[in-house]
Amino acid sequence: MTPRPDPQTEAAWLRKLDRATAAHEKARATLEELIADARTAGVPLMTIAKHTPYSREWARKIADRVDAERGSKATESEPAAE
C-alpha cells in the first residue's frame, strides 16, 4: 500500500486535481455544444464521430440531449401567456 503523503503535499495535489477537473468539465461541455451545433448545421454524424472521441450513436445522443436542454431553457425564459 502506498503511504499517505503529508497534508501539505496532499492538499497541493488535490488543488491540481480540482483545477484539471474543472478544465475538463468546461472543455467537455464546449465539445458537446459544438457537436449539437455541427449536427444542426448538417454535418453528418459519421463525420462528427471521426473528429471527436465519440461514436456516431454517442454523438447523436449528446446532440439530442443538448438540443433538449436548449429547448427547455428557451421555454423557461419565455413569458407566460395570459
Side-chain angles (χ1 to χ4, degrees):
M1 182 175 202
T2 304
R4 191 164 188 154
D6 64 87
Q8 289 178 324
T9 302
E10 185 173 339
W13 278 107
L14 293 176
R15 283 191 301 274
K16 289 178 184 181
L17 290 170
D18 289 342
R19 285 192 303 269
T21 298
H24 173 76
E25 288 172 353
K26 183 177 179 182
R28 182 176 174 167
T30 300
L31 177 58
E32 290 178 353
E33 289 189 13
L34 289 171
I35 288 169
D37 292 343
R39 183 180 71 168
T40 299
V43 178
L45 287 170
M46 286 301 295
T47 304
I48 293 170
K50 289 178 183 177
H51 292 270
T52 64
Y54 301 111
S55 68
R56 178 193 55 79
E57 185 62 19
W58 273 103
R60 183 190 62 75
K61 289 178 181 182
I62 289 167
D64 288 347
R65 181 181 46 78
V66 170
D67 289 342
E69 289 172 1
R70 287 176 176 169
S72 68
K73 286 180 184 176
T75 58
E76 289 174 2
S77 64
E78 293 175 4
E82 295 182 20

